[in-house]
Amino acid sequence: MYKKARAWLNASPPRTLAIGFALIVLAGAVLLKLPVSVRPGYRLGWLDALFTSASATCVTGLTVVDTGVLFSTFGHWVILVLVQVGGLGFMTMGTLFAIFLRRKVSLKERLVLQESLNQGSLEGIVRLVRKVITYALTIEAVGSLLYTLRFLSDMPAGKAFYFGIFHGVSIFNNAGFDLFGNYRSMAAYVSDPFVNLVSIALIFLGGVGFVVLADLVEFPKRRKLSLHSKVALSVTAALFVAGAALILIFEYTNGKTLGPLSFGDKAVAAMLHSISPRSAGVSTIDIASLRQATQFLMVWLMFIGASPGSTGGGIKTTTFAVLIVAVLAVVRGRQDVVLFRYRLERERVYKAITVTIFSFALVMTATMILSITENHMFMPVLFEATSAFATVGLSTGMTPELTDAGKLIVIAMMFIGRLGPLTLFYAVGSKPGRTLYRHAEGKIIIG
């Protein structure tokens, strides 16, 4: 019995990855439940501790309790460590310790790393991990320093340094946790271009993917970008510009959001809320006060999400790009799906379609269940379900009011969203085998 259980646990990298993340979530819940993690006079239930741990490990940022008010300094550091481990991946962190201890990374560990970083081969996987760690720590350090310098004018030096580190790590990892309290995120800085632009930069760097970052760093020497980097950067830029323009148009006269701001502040706020739904969860305006058109636009931005191999969620920018060019190929009557003059394998197109359908089905199922368990209108429920799946963390205010059943649904969605629906499917199911035969061709009418 023991051997069978052990064989099942070690059967595949996706299974190892899923179990590892689950254990980290449980360990985080236990640590957050400790009396030292909560400020005197406050209490934290087991389910709320599990929810917070899952949200931090899955770098989401949805909160059922006020992070800045309820948790102590120890609790904040537990959340920050969970965010760091969840953002970079526990296998990446484990490989970091192995490198420090000069221990050889085994083939099994390399396979799990390959699954964790969403890479197509094992070649150079450890070298990529070194780059991931270097880039992440460097960007987090710079972001934390910039935040600290800004916060020094609003709070004592010690608190400014503390807030700078927490928000630098949280926002780069697209987690969305903040310490400002009252569930207002960074609303106090809606008219501060420095904080907004630093946040936009951190969200972009955290969400574009470490493979793309490596390409950008090496671009001056190589003078070329990979196809993956071209697609990720192009879609990211297009969604950022289009999203910002539409948000600015939709909310320009909304007195509860962008209306009272100057044109410059409106433009900066629109840019932040265009890139934030791509998995960051940072906001400077009240999401519940946005017009429904804007909220629905954000649902689409959240569903698309960040790029592969990043700290973000969603179906990913490259998946969205493959779907678009596949549709265009069909409309134009072409057999090949082409991106930047490269023909894509049919397996890539099939995978993009599968990921999108799985993800859409999960969001719709969660939305239907939450519509039953929660006493809210459809749009906030859809927004919440999509935010959880895409590990975004934005909310219309529904999260603190979730029922116990609703919390469990959202926890499951955050977990699935962080792992990826296909990874979880491979972890639970049997290892896919190769078919040794082909069926006779049949024809059905489409459209």
Side-chain angles (χ1 to χ4, degrees), residues 13 16-18 20-21 24 85-86 88-99 103 105-117 129 133:
T16 303
L17 200 62
F21 265 106
I24 292 171
V85 172
L88 300 184
F90 73 93
M91 282 304 302
T92 302
M93 302 301 291
T95 305
L96 172 63
F97 287 111
I99 293 172
R103 183 177 66 82
V105 181
S106 67
L107 177 61
K108 170 76 182 297
E109 292 169 337
R110 290 171 189 263
L111 288 170
V112 179
L113 277 170
Q114 179 188 359
E115 184 71 29
S116 175
L117 295 172
V129 168
I133 295 167

Side-chain angles (χ1 to χ4, degrees), residues 271-292:
M271 288 190 290
L272 177 66
H273 290 85
S274 172
I275 199 169
S276 185
R278 305 281 307 291
S279 201
V282 180
S283 64
T284 55
I285 56 179
D286 184 16
I287 301 299
S289 298
L290 294 170
R291 288 173 173 148
Q292 286 199 355

Side-chain angles (χ1 to χ4, degrees), residues 386-406:
T386 310
S387 180
F389 169 76
T391 67
V392 176
L394 292 175
S395 176
T396 58
M398 178 177 160
T399 314
E401 302 172 3
L402 287 171
T403 62
D404 288 349

Side-chain angles (χ1 to χ4, degrees), residues 27-32 34 36-37 53 56 71-84 166:
V30 171
L31 290 173
L32 291 174
L34 296 175
V36 69
S37 296
S53 177
F71 290 105
S72 64
T73 302
F74 179 82
H76 292 157
W77 281 107
V78 170
I79 291 172
L80 203 61
V81 170
L82 291 174
V83 165
Q84 187 73 86
F166 188 95

Side-chain angles (χ1 to χ4, degrees), residues 331-395:
V331 170
R332 294 171 180 173
R334 297 176 181 174
Q335 291 184 345
D336 293 334
V337 176
V338 179
L339 265 171
F340 288 99
R341 298 183 179 180
Y342 284 94
R343 175 175 52 84
L344 301 182
E345 298 174 330
R346 288 193 176 185
E347 287 74 12
R348 300 284 178 180
V349 180
Y350 293 156
K351 186 175 182 180
I353 295 171
T354 304
V355 167
T356 304
I357 292 176
F358 269 21
S359 302
F360 183 77
L362 284 168
V363 171
M364 291 301 102
T365 301
T367 301
M368 284 190 289
I369 297 174
L370 288 174
S371 296
I372 298 171
T373 62
E374 312 304 313
N375 185 25
H376 286 273
M377 300 296 288
F378 176 76
M379 184 56 75
V381 172
L382 175 63
F383 198 98
E384 192 82 7
T386 310
S387 180
F389 169 76
T391 67
V392 176
L394 292 175
S395 176

